[in-house]
Every structure is written in C-alpha cells, then in structure tokens.
Amino acid sequence: MSGRKPNAGPLRDQPGPFFGDFGGRFMPESLIAAIDELAAAYEQAKTDPEFQAELAALHRSYTGRPSIITEVPRFAEHAGGARIILKREDLNHTGSHKINNVLGQALLTRRIGKKRVIAETGAGQHGVATATAAALFGLECTIFMGEVDTQRQALNVARMRLLGAEVVPVTTGSRTLKDAINEAYREWVTSVATTNYIFGTAAGPHPFPAMVRDFQKIIGEEARAQVLELTGRLPDAVAACVGGGSNAIGIFHAFLDDPDVKLFGFEAAGDGVDTERHAASIERGRPGILHGARSYLLQDEDGQTIESHSISAGLDYPGVGPEHAHLHDIGRATYLPATDTEAMEALRLLSRTEGIIPAIESAHALAGALRLGRELGPDAVILVNLSGRGDKDVATAGSWFGLLDEGAVQS
Amino acid sequence: MNASSAPGAASAASAASVSSAASVSSVLQGSGALIGYLPVGFPDLDTSVDAAVALVENGVDALELGLPYSDPVMDGLAIQKATQQALANGFRVRDVFTAVERIRSRVDAPVLVMTYWNPVVQYGLDRFAESLRDAGGAGLITPDITPDSAADPSADWMATSERTGLDRVFLAAPSSTDERLAATVAASRGFVYAVSTMGITGARADVDAAARTLVARLRAAGAERTCVGIGISTGDQVAEVLGYADGAIVGSALVTALAERGVAGVAATASALAEGKSAGTSADGSPGKSK
C-alpha cells in the first residue's frame, strides 16, 4: 500500500526501521539525537564479542538462564490431548521475560555513559526489571506507571520502591500504559542529556522494535533447541500473548524461517472484541502512528487513540509492535483474541493441574493453547511462552474467583 | 470585552476564499512577529474562534491553531488539559477547517495548524491538505515528525505540500546535529521552529540561552526565517527573543489566560505580549527580507 520496497531475505534478523509497511521513527526532533546515539551504540554492541559475553554472563549468573521447559500433561488433557510444553520465563529473576531486555539496555546505558534510566510500565514487570537492573548497575531510576495500574498492581509499586526506584503515578489521559509512555517521553525530552529511556516492549521508534526483539530472541533460541531435544522435532505451533509483543517476538523469532511451525499471538480481548472493552489491536485496529511507529492501532475515525481494556495491565495497550503487524500482514503469524474470562479460567486450570500460577498476561497464551490443542489434535506439539509468574496477580485472581475472606478484600 | 473593539481587517472575508493569501513569510519580514497558539475547540469551537480573532486584533501577527490529539507527547499540562477538554467536548478533526475559515473571514493573518501526525494520516493527507488550503490555511507545524518521516511513502507530506502550496514547518532542537539542522532548514518552508529548550510546552521563568545559540546555528545552516517557541510567556521574553529571531511563539500562557479569564483575558494577554514587539531590537541586523 505504501510503495515501500519489501524486506528481502529470511524473516529472521530484520534490522528495521521498517518491517514491510510498519515501523519507522515518527518522533519529535528533540529526541532524535538520543535515539541516534542509542541506535549507534546498539549497532556497535551487536557485533562486539565483549558486550555479548558480558550479557551472557549476566544471564547465567543473575537472570538464571537458560530457563527450563516444562511439559504439562495434566493441563494438556483439557486441550484435546495435544502435548503442551511451557517455556518457563516465569522462573527468571524478577519473574518475567522483561529482565532479558532490561539487562541488555542497562549495559548499553553504561556504554553511552548515562547515569539515570527511566521506563514505563503497565503490569509493573518491566518497571520491576528496570528498577532491579538500576540497583545492580548503580543507576538512578524513575518509573512512570498509569495511576489505574499503580492501584491494580500495588505490590509491584512497592517492589520498585524497595529497589530504590522512584515511581511516578501518571494521572493524564486513560491513566494506563499508553499514558505512562507519553509521560516517559515528556520526561525524556526534558532530561535526555543525562537519561536513557529503557523501553519495555518491541514497539516504539527504531531502534527499539529490533533491539528489544534481539534481547528477547534468546527465549526462542533456547526453546527451539530444548523442544528438539525433548521431542525430536520442532513444535507444530508456538503460542504467546501479545500486548506490545516483546515476549511473543522473542519466542517467535527462532522459528520465523521454519515454515512448518505455526505461530500464534493472543491479544487481550477483554470483555470480547465485539464490545468496546478490549485491547485487540490487530484484530480490531487499523494502521496508524502512535509512540513513534506505524502499526495496528485502536483508534477512532479521526485517528484519536481509543483506550484499551484488559484485566491484564501488561496487555492493556492500544498498539502493537510493528514486526507483529508485518507478520500478520504477510500471514506468517496468526493473531487471535482471548477474553478476560478465558484467560482467568486458563490461569486457574494451570494452577490446579500443574502447580504453576501464571501471570494473567501469559494466561492469555494458555487459553489460546487450549483452543489450539483441540484444533490441532492429539499428535500436536504446542510450545507456549509462559512469560511471567502470577504472584503479582494473586489479588486480582482472588477477587475474580472470590477466594478472599470477607474483610481481607479491603486491606 | 475589548476583543471586539479592535478593528479587524475588513477586506479579509474576500481574501479567505482565495486560499492562503496571507502567507506566514510575509508577516515575518521586518522587525519580528508574534505568533500565538490556541487549540481549536477549547473551551468550545465558537469561543476558540473568537479567541483566535482576539489575538490578531490585539497584536498577534500569525496564528498557530492546535489540533487536539489524544497523545500529545510534546505538550505540558496547560495545553494537555485544554486539548483533552476539547476532545471530551466532541472535537472532530474537520472542525479545524471550519475554524480556519471562520477566522480568516474575520481577520487577515496567516493561520498555521499545529498537529500531531496520526490525525492527518487518518483523515487522509491529501484530503486534509486540500481542505486546509481551501479554508484559507497557510500550512502545518508538525511536532512529532521530522523531514525524513514526512517523506515516508505511507503519507508523503513533502510531496503533498509541494502540490498544495502549503507551508511546512519542522522543529529544530538544541540537541540537533549540524547535519540535521541543515536537513531541517532545507525541508522547511515558511519558517523553522526553533525549540528553545530541551523540554515540552509550558511557561518558564527564563527563555533558555540555548535558543539564541540554536537560532544562530540555523542561520548558519541557511535558514531565512526562524521563530522560537516553548517557554515564552511575557512581553519582555518576546522582546528578548525578537532581538535575535524572526518570530516569538507563545502558547501555554495564552491557553492559561483563555482557561482562566476567557476571551477578554486572552486578548489582554496578547496585548501585553505584543508590547514586546516594539521593544524588540533587531540585534542581528535584518533577518531575511526576501524569499
């Protein structure tokens, strides 16, 4: 549609700034110098064995990589008997895949010579990971979080503060992730000389989509080898939840050029995609520009961003990373909705059948895997990215399922 | 209200239908211009038109009409609040053309539209540009795209502005490299918007010294007309800026005045700001007289 030249060669390692018609760098001039500086530092680090060795050592001794895979047969009984294998990013230090990206960007921050980092966060997972890396590297840290999210993820706010970070509740706009990003941009414009912005997902302006993907692709690289070793073959399908899409692109990446492996991203459908309360940007959005990139976007006729809704703060975002938009357009990956109710049922099912409490975000992928299993049949092998653990969501689950004693709800 | 007492340009009504008769470059010649920003639709469409007219009747030389947008990342609280209210009151993108046409039928001053990029793209760039031109608008100020993104094939503003004759005002920042300043100057038409400080819109006690340096760098890069914006809120600051730049852009101070004291209040603020024009001295000699 745009007359842009198609990307050539394999699907893996597309460098940006464009993925097909999507991506780019639609940004205020005030931030271009900082983005250029970051892109240049990253380009250099990408091929610098010293940087890569340093990151690998951190992942071994701090993150706890490689993360294991776990086959979940009791859960899979509810999926038509297909084999379901979880990639256990929930077991990483700080409890999610976010640390993979944050350690990479924190190392870059040190390379650039900046002493302060800022970040946005939705569920608080990226904020916690950033606050953790800041503590580890001795960096000053400020986290922007929508006021609505500070309330539903209060435990993570306390975690970030305990780690020494300043948490700024954002009271503008919809007071969720989108507005936390807006406020982080405003802060970055003002303090760019001393401050690096550690962006949490594979969206935003170039180089973030490619860079965040590169820091997350370790998920799929490990999982591909682990599934091969366990089953003797590649999985039939890979499933992940998609908000901005960093855990999904991280696990998809290693399989992009394996045409027999189907890739499924599950977007948060909230109350349902036919209601006004969902976050299914690809399913119900159309291309537009938000936060520096062209991608699918929930917007009204005038291009005003529509507020998204999801029980999961981490998926409650009206946009999606540009590489996912491209993979959707060329048909390489399939994006499907999963509702709040489906996700919560899957969360409870995994807890009760396998003793693993997943994050509500990841539970959207589990809900999808249950559907996929029934469609693909009992011979199928399905790899699911369990991107985070559910400790942060216990209060939400407690009130959803009515598990809390009277009176305890208020505390 | 003193807004209606000042004499408007009686002949402007006919000029409006002849497209952008008032070009921004013409008002930037001479000793320097005052450019006033107000968002369309705040507090409602009619009042925003009256307020814009009042600015011109009280010494503002050119108007920058803001198009309310859900995610204004370059704006501080004063403008955020006003534009969010406009949206809550039902502002539609098409209202901006109505506003431009009505303003141009009442006063003879160039009207630029300041807009984040997605609403333009969704309206349809060609359709937006033609509607703006037909309403008598002079061009666009685009705070969240740079010349390289403006030439993107998905919505090529460089080509559309050539075709429609609209001015395209890009922003330059203190952090911009010399190479980028040169590209920004080459891509801009009308003037270059020099961002006075590393920050977002909002009144500040002092206009950053970085502004003077940036304007000098822009001139060295070949800029004929440079206007300074962000942080300017008093007549003294206008005078100071016009000592080295072709124009001073005031936004948040006017928005705050309109929010707190209505059209009469914004007229008085414009009048006070305009006093800075006569006090301004052309310290750098004569800024670009010809096109």
Side-chain angles (χ1 to χ4, degrees), chain A residues 111-404:
Chain A
R111 284 202 155 202
I112 297 168
K114 290 182 176 173
K115 305 283 186 224
R116 175 172 179 252
V117 291
I118 56 173
E120 84 293 345
T121 198
Q125 296 299 79
H126 176 59
V128 167
T130 303
T132 298
L136 179 66
F137 285 75
L139 302 168
E140 206 185 315
C141 178
T142 303
I143 304 294
F144 294 89
M145 188 169 187
E147 193 183 40
V148 170
D149 295 334
T150 62
Q151 287 158 5
R152 60 180 163 178
Q153 302 286 349
L155 194 61
N156 270 343
V157 174
R159 284 171 84 193
M160 289 183 269
R161 288 181 175 148
L162 200 55
L163 290 160
E166 178 194 10
V167 179
V168 179
V170 174
T171 57
T172 54
S174 61
R175 297 176 293 137
T176 58
L177 179 55
K178 152 181 107 69
D179 305 281
I181 294 173
N182 290 342
E183 207 53 37
Y185 275 147
R186 293 184 187 113
E187 170 60 24
W188 200 22
V189 169
T190 306
S191 63
V192 68
T194 59
T195 299
N196 190 31
Y197 184 6
I198 296 190
F199 197 60
T201 192
H206 181 73
F208 288 115
M211 179 171 74
V212 173
R213 174 204 66 206
D214 287 351
F215 287 137
Q216 294 292 1
K217 70 184 181 184
I218 192 167
I219 302 171
E221 286 169 352
E222 287 177 5
R224 190 174 182 280
Q226 289 166 323
V227 171
L228 270 175
E229 193 187 339
L230 179 73
T231 67
R233 64 186 186 91
L234 291 174
D236 297 288
V238 178
C241 64
V242 179
S246 72
N247 91 81
I249 202 70
I251 198 161
F252 286 177
H253 188 261
F255 299 97
L256 284 177
D257 295 308
D258 296 322
D260 293 336
V261 179
K262 297 187 176 75
L263 306 175
F264 293 92
F266 290 92
E267 297 190 293
D271 292 347
V273 290
D274 293 325
T275 72
E276 289 183 348
R277 296 175 55 83
H278 63 78
S281 321
I282 293 178
E283 170 78 19
R284 282 292 187 273
R286 62 177 201 277
I289 296 161
L290 177 68
H291 296 147
R294 187 167 187 278
S295 189
Y296 283 90
L297 178 63
L298 296 178
Q299 56 186 325
D300 70 11
E301 189 191 340
D302 276 3
Q304 309 287 356
T305 309
I306 293 174
E307 291 176 18
S308 55
H309 290 279
S310 170
I311 191 170
S312 136
L315 304 182
D316 198 350
Y317 181 62
V320 64
E323 193 165 6
H324 287 294
H326 178 53
L327 293 174
H328 167 74
D329 262 24
I330 63 172
R332 177 62 190 96
T334 304
Y335 296 86
L336 299 168
T339 63
D340 286 355
T341 303
E342 288 177 288
M344 294 308 289
E345 288 302 322
L347 180 146
R348 183 164 65 177
L349 185 63
L350 188 72
S351 303
R352 292 191 173 183
T353 55
E354 302 286 349
I356 298 169
I357 301 176
I360 298 177
E361 288 78 13
S362 320
H364 287 72
L366 292 165
L370 291 172
R371 280 174 7 212
L372 286 178
R374 290 171 207 133
E375 283 167 28
L376 298 175
D379 296 331
V381 174
I382 301 170
L383 171 66
V384 181
N385 196 9
L386 197 72
S387 55
R389 68 181 182 223
D391 303 41
K392 70 183 174 60
D393 296 317
V394 169
T396 304
S399 51
W400 179 273
F401 293 115
L403 308 175
L404 301 171

Side-chain angles (χ1 to χ4, degrees), chain A residues 2 4 18 25-30 32-33 172 178 182 186 189-190 286-289 299 301-305, chain B residues 68-73 75 80 87 92-93 118-119 122 143-144 146 148-149 152-153 171 173 175-176 180 198-199:
Chain A
S2 73
R4 205 185 312 284
F18 281 94
R25 194 178 66 168
F26 298 85
M27 286 300 276
E29 174 66 22
S30 295
I32 295 290
T172 54
K178 152 181 107 69
N182 290 342
R186 293 184 187 113
V189 169
T190 306
R286 62 177 201 277
I289 296 161
Q299 56 186 325
E301 189 191 340
D302 276 3
Q304 309 287 356
T305 309
Chain B
Y69 174 54
S70 53
D71 295 272
V73 294
D75 285 312
Q80 277 182 52
L87 287 171
R92 296 297 309 267
V93 166
N118 196 47
Q122 299 306 324
D144 66 344
T146 52
D148 40 326
S149 292
D152 190 80
L171 279 61
S175 60
S176 305
R180 290 196 61 84
M198 293 306 291

